[in-house]
Every structure is written in structure tokens, then in C-alpha cells.
Amino acid sequence: MSDVATPSFTGDANPYGGGDPYADYRTADFPFTHFADLADRRLGAGVIAANDEFFAERENMLRPGAAEFDPEHFGHKGKIMDGWETRRRRGVSAQQPHPTDEDHDWALVRLGAPGVVRGIVIDTAHFRGNYPQAVSVEAASVPGSPSPDDLLSGDVKWVTLVPRTAVGGHAANGFAVDVEQRFTHLRINQHPDGGIARLRVYGEVAPDPAWLATLGTFDLVALENGGRVEDASDRFYSPATNTIQPGRSHKMDDGWETRRRRDKGNDWIHYHLVEQSEIRAVEIDTAYLKGNSAGWAALSVRDGADGTWTEILPRTRLQPDTNHRFVLDAVPAATEVRMDIFPDGGISRLRLFGSLTEAGASRLAARHQELGG
């Protein structure tokens, strides 16, 4: 279950006074934001239902980037907000004009990749007088592609990740989560009503071993398959995790780009594969990186944190805006990969195709069982 939100983020927000709409926006460095966003639209996440979205559509919560604010943007229903906003709740009569303590609005979110949730950010950016008094978050693990009716039936077991907690307006409200289970869906509740600009669900992808076994050969470092970035030398322009996102890059900042080096060193990314694997083919893509792609790249692997690094792709010239393919021979089993680029620049995607070893598949299946899969 979650800790409460950072205390300094509760309370009223100041009215918009013009000028910079983020002038009094309240944020913090949460300890869990280095994990992948399991609710990323690029992974296939979606807000599949909500009981009310009168003022602003539920899908806005998962839009990439910060919420935008145009003080003069009004529609026939009122102020148009970049978030999910419900109408004001009312009581049942003139004698009871206020909503009850149990009244609340809700939205169902399908995670793009099932996984273990480590932290949640409920961002109320630009919701100053119309943010919820409190929020709560529940999670469930449901196989297949359940409909909203399936999820709302009494047959689904929901686990509380964030208990009902007061939140602040025009602020990033963060909640650390400590529930060691694999989840596929969330239910976001706002009490009693209001608006949420963005939802971010940080955690570790927990893939289905049966699916990966059926595929046989797959991308061993892909975020959706359970790969992850352990560390990187530089994240100046864009995050290293972009290199293992699904699909090809669609623009320059959809990849990984470092600042210009003024020394004789080089930049690198350290990856962890889904489990112990044997890599047989590599793709290094520099799509949309034209005057700033990496000049050369090399790959090394090791088995375990104490293993010895073995080079599997020697320093190789890269072309701008190009997908490079390499077939490998006799690569040792590995759990970790390091990509070095020389001297700096960037790549858009890295694909490492291969299969799990018997030991890797066994450990992945055991972990799946531990998480309730």
C-alpha cells in the first residue's frame, strides 16, 4: 500500500494570475520515477472507461508531456482543460445539497505493460479551484482483454495501492507503492469530483512467460518484454529508456541523445535483459538523428553483475537516420548488455533478438508465480 502524498503538496492552489501558468506549480523529485511508466500510451495503455468526463476527456490523463494551459480556450461546456475533468457533484435534494462521503468519480486504466507498481503520480497541473479533494487508486490483475463491464463486475478482486488521500491543486502528487503483485488494470478515484491533468504509473514490467515462450525468438531488451535501462552516462536531451520503447522513432526527441562531449571519453547505456538469454541478432536504429547520431557503436554482454564483459559487436561505424542490422555468432549467455557510442550523439532504438536460456525461462516463470501471475 502507498505512503501518503508529500505533505507540502496538499492544500489550495493560488488562482491563476496571468503570465507563466507554471509559476506556482508544485513538484518534487520522487524516488520512483526512474522506473518505466507502465501507463505509457506507447506501450498500449489506455483509459478504457470513466463514469463522467463532462468537461474534459479521460484520455488526456495519459498524454505524453506536461499539461498545457490556454486561459482563453473555452467551449460550449465551459473552460477546456488538458486533463480529465468531471462535472460538479450535487446532493439529492435542497435539504441535502452536498454529495455524500462515499460519492466519487472513477476511471479505469489499462496498463500498457503489466507489472509491479512502485509509485504513482497524480498531477493536478492547472486545476486550481477544480481539483479533487482526495484521490484513491486500486489495482487488479485480469488476464486477456477485459471489457469495462468485466472489470466492474463483482468477480474482480481490487487491491488498494493508494488509500483515500487529500491532494493539492496545481501540483504533482506522488505516492510510493509497496505491493509486490503483478497488475494489469487500475481504478483511479477522485473524491468527490474534479480534475486530474496527468497520471503516471511507475514500475517494473512483469511479462507473461507463456507468451514469451510461445514467441521463442523476441526482443530481449524491449521495455514491453521486461527489459530495462540500468544506467546511462548522459540523459541531457532525452531519456535512455526511449531506446527500448515499442516501434520506430517518429521524431528526434523520441530517441536518446547526449550533449556534445568536450573530452576524449564516450557515452554509454547499461541494459538489463528480461532474463538470462542468448542474443542472435541486433538492430541499432538512428532514425531522425541526422546531424547528431552516434559516430560508432559497440556492444558488450555479461552474465550477472559480477560477470566479465565480453564484446559481441566491435566498434562499428553508424550512418545517420538509418537502421543497422547485425547477425551474431557464438554469443555467450548473458543477463546484461552495455552499448558504447563514440564519442557522443544518440541512437533511437536498440533491438536485441534471441531467446531465453533454460535457466532464464525457469527463473522468469518462478517470478511470475511469486507475483500472482
Side-chain angles (χ1 to χ4, degrees), residues 335-356:
T335 59
E336 301 176 39
V337 173
R338 176 180 166 120
M339 178 179 64
D340 286 275
I341 63 170
F342 302 89
D344 54 28
I347 69 164
S348 61
R349 295 290 187 271
L350 174 69
R351 305 296 186 211
L352 303 175
F353 297 104
S355 303
L356 294 171

Side-chain angles (χ1 to χ4, degrees), residues 293-298 315-318 340-344 347:
S293 65
W296 293 263
R315 192 178 304 190
T316 302
R317 187 76 169 95
L318 300 181
D340 286 275
I341 63 170
F342 302 89
D344 54 28
I347 69 164

Side-chain angles (χ1 to χ4, degrees), residues 130-365:
N130 48 355
Y131 58 92
Q133 182 183 38
V135 299
S136 60
V137 181
E138 301 160 281
S141 183
V142 183
S145 303
S147 69
D149 288 342
D150 294 332
L151 293 170
L152 295 172
S153 71
D155 300 328
V156 174
K157 178 185 177 182
W158 291 92
V159 177
T160 299
L161 300 187
V162 179
R164 183 169 175 168
T165 306
V167 293
H170 195 45
N173 300 275
F175 306 87
V177 176
D178 185 19
V179 179
E180 203 69 15
Q181 289 181 238
R182 177 183 187 266
F183 297 112
T184 61
H185 293 78
L186 300 186
R187 183 160 60 189
I188 312 300
N189 304 307
Q190 46 179 341
H191 308 266
D193 54 38
I196 295 171
R198 294 290 186 267
L199 171 71
R200 302 293 184 244
V201 183
Y202 296 101
E204 300 174 58
V205 176
D208 182 354
W211 175 254
L212 297 183
T214 301
L215 293 178
T217 297
F218 59 92
D219 185 356
L220 302 163
V221 77
L223 190 60
E224 59 189 323
N225 292 334
R228 64 180 186 267
V229 170
E230 292 280 23
D231 200 2
S233 61
D234 187 290
R235 299 176 176 88
F236 188 82
Y237 286 113
S238 46
T241 301
N242 280 353
T243 61
I244 55 175
Q245 289 282 2
R248 295 200 74 198
S249 174
H250 296 289
K251 54 182 180 174
M252 191 174 71
D253 67 350
D254 192 23
W256 172 60
E257 182 188 358
T258 72
R259 76 190 81 196
R260 300 188 188 209
R261 276 193 170 266
R262 302 308 186 195
D263 57 21
K264 300 301 181 182
N266 73 283
D267 288 314
W268 51 265
I269 304 177
H270 178 189
Y271 300 93
H272 199 289
L273 304 179
V274 55
E275 247 298 347
Q276 188 189 63
S277 311
E278 294 176 344
I279 303 168
R280 293 191 288 275
V282 173
E283 286 188 358
I284 300 176
D285 196 351
T286 57
Y288 291 94
L289 295 163
K290 299 181 179 181
N292 50 355
S293 65
W296 293 263
L299 292 175
S300 301
V301 299
R302 71 179 181 186
D303 190 25
D306 299 326
T308 300
W309 289 105
T310 301
E311 187 175 73
I312 62 172
L313 181 71
R315 192 178 304 190
T316 302
R317 187 76 169 95
L318 300 181
Q319 299 299 319
D321 196 27
T322 300
N323 192 25
H324 309 76
R325 289 179 171 174
F326 308 95
V327 176
L328 306 179
D329 294 321
V331 175
T335 59
E336 301 176 39
V337 173
R338 176 180 166 120
M339 178 179 64
D340 286 275
I341 63 170
F342 302 89
D344 54 28
I347 69 164
S348 61
R349 295 290 187 271
L350 174 69
R351 305 296 186 211
L352 303 175
F353 297 104
S355 303
L356 294 171
T357 64
E358 184 176 343
S362 178
R363 286 196 294 264
L364 191 67

